[in-house]
Amino acid sequence: MSVDLTRRDVLKAGGLLVAGGALGGCATATGINRAVPPAAKVVQSSSQTHATSAAAGASMPSDVQFDQKPTYVAERNDPLSFSRADNLFWNDIMMEHSMFFVMLMPANDPELAGPRKQAEEFQRLFAEQLRMSSGLRGDNYAAFNQRTIELAKRISDYKKTMRERQASGKMRSLVFPLFFEHTAREADRFAARLAQYNRRDTGFDRSEVIDFWSKTMGEHSAFIAHLLDPNERLLIDQARKLEDAFLHKGFRQVKGDEVMKAANEVLDFKTVGEKGIKAGKIKSIIHPSLASHVRREAVKFIDELKRTEA
């Protein structure tokens, strides 16, 4: 089966080219098509799906393509290592949020000139913060974290203001109100984690990790469903199944392997999706940079979930 998938470049996770019974009776945790994990294994590479340790001196390559970006994680269980990893990862994520806002605020609309200019400035500021993130040492990480915390709080305030303006009709951008809300939550959590490291606390609370990331994965799936071409009915159905699974209130009480199984299923779906979008095999208005963005966050989810089980 994998040879056939490779030859025909099957990228549609809905299973258009896979017979329903071909994969046996193995159930999925989220209800998505059983073809997704095998298809993902065909198209994914370790550089795209595995986290990268944020060793001293680690930095984002200057010429990196969006789908080649690493997902940085802590190399050791100490505040410096976690600070370096999260600054490398989340400053990049915040920079991309700002870039997406710019893309979704048409330059020829004078009413969006102010919000767009603010987004462009945040993109510049987080790009600079990302550039400096690789230089963290034992004697400077706390001060650097504090500067990042202040910047993260600023962009969170901006996102919350934009959310209210968009939701009330005072602003007419192409950004969903939920996307502003979603990205503000990520900024708040980023700031909270850095403050935790400055207290020399690197622990993870399993319920918090599952609560934060299940909302994140569920909302990602909702965004994907809305941004796919209406004719991509099977993929939309798969995205809706993931949304329902992760946003179900009972999910946060799920124990053990089922959560990790679900996390890997959403990563598989995003891996196949990113590859298909980049190759032009999936019809959507999803930019390849956004497909990469949501996949890397799934990798981060899995890393944090593993750490709660250690």
Side-chain angles (χ1 to χ4, degrees):
M1 177 182 167
S2 62
V3 174
D4 193 45
L5 285 169
T6 303
R7 180 174 62 81
R8 295 196 286 175
D9 198 16
V10 177
L11 301 169
K12 293 193 174 183
L16 280 172
L17 301 177
V18 182
L23 297 172
C26 181
T28 58
T30 58
I32 61 171
N33 193 299
R34 296 191 304 277
V36 173
K41 298 304 180 289
V42 169
V43 303
Q44 68 188 199
S45 66
S46 61
S47 63
Q48 290 193 43
T49 57
H50 296 165
T52 305
S53 293
S59 60
M60 193 73 67
S62 60
D63 60 345
V64 74
Q65 297 299 309
F66 287 112
D67 63 341
Q68 298 171 331
K69 282 186 175 181
T71 304
Y72 287 109
V73 300
E75 187 180 34
R76 299 179 305 277
N77 188 25
D78 62 69
L80 171 59
S81 188
F82 273 101
S83 295
R84 185 185 295 121
D86 276 17
N87 273 288
L88 284 166
F89 179 79
W90 286 109
N91 280 317
D92 187 40
I93 292 293
M94 296 296 124
M95 183 274 292
E96 289 183 344
H97 288 166
S98 306
M99 178 184 70
F100 298 146
F101 297 155
V102 172
M103 293 168 65
L104 295 168
M105 293 178 178
N108 61 354
D109 187 337
E111 293 185 358
L112 295 175
R116 194 175 196 273
K117 185 176 180 180
Q118 288 177 281
E120 290 172 335
E121 178 63 6
F122 278 121
Q123 185 177 353
R124 184 190 69 79
L125 290 171
F126 277 104
E128 178 62 14
Q129 199 73 354
L130 172 62
R131 186 188 66 80
M132 296 187 294
S133 295
S134 60
L136 269 63
R137 305 181 308 273
D139 62 349
N140 71 358
Y141 80 86
F144 188 87
N145 282 351
Q146 189 56 45
R147 291 194 297 274
T148 306
I149 288 168
E150 292 167 3
L151 183 57
K153 288 181 177 179
R154 282 176 55 194
I155 198 170
S156 176
D157 289 343
Y158 165 80
K159 291 168 175 176
K160 291 170 184 175
T161 299
M162 294 301 103
R163 187 266 173 206
E164 293 307 313
R165 291 181 63 183
Q166 183 76 17
S168 66
K170 295 177 182 177
M171 183 174 76
R172 304 288 185 180
S173 75
L174 301 177
V175 187
F176 296 130
L178 181 60
F179 189 59
F180 282 127
E181 179 181 330
H182 173 96
T183 58
R185 187 189 311 124
E186 292 187 346
D188 290 341
R189 208 258 188 165
F190 177 28
R193 287 295 300 178
L194 292 183
Q196 186 177 328
Y197 304 149
N198 279 3
R199 299 192 300 270
R200 305 196 61 79
D201 176 7
T202 61
F204 287 97
D205 177 81
R206 182 176 174 82
S207 62
E208 186 277 334
V209 168
I210 293 175
D211 183 65
F212 172 77
W213 284 112
S214 62
K215 289 176 183 174
T216 302
M217 296 299 106
E219 289 173 359
H220 281 176
S221 302
F223 296 142
I224 290 167
H226 281 284
L227 296 173
L228 286 163
D229 186 273
N231 286 324
E232 294 282 13
R233 293 180 180 86
L234 289 172
L235 283 172
I236 292 169
D237 178 67
Q238 299 304 298
R240 287 299 191 193
K241 284 182 168 62
L242 288 165
E243 177 190 4
D244 290 345
F246 280 103
L247 295 184
H248 191 280
K249 290 181 180 179
F251 183 83
R252 291 182 279 286
Q253 282 74 53
V254 171
K255 305 293 183 183
D257 292 344
E258 286 301 299
V259 176
M260 184 62 76
K261 187 176 179 181
N264 277 285
E265 286 170 11
V266 76
L267 173 60
D268 286 339
F269 179 79
K270 290 174 176 180
T271 299
V272 173
E274 178 186 3
K275 187 76 172 181
I277 288 164
K278 183 184 177 185
K281 300 287 185 177
I282 292 174
K283 298 183 290 296
S284 76
I285 54 172
I286 300 172
H287 193 279
S289 60
L290 179 58
S292 169
H293 180 99
V294 298
R295 177 191 53 77
R296 297 192 324 269
E297 289 195 12
V299 176
K300 193 74 165 177
F301 172 26
I302 290 170
D303 175 73
E304 291 191 5
L305 192 58
K306 287 178 180 177
R307 292 174 189 272
T308 70
E309 297 172 347

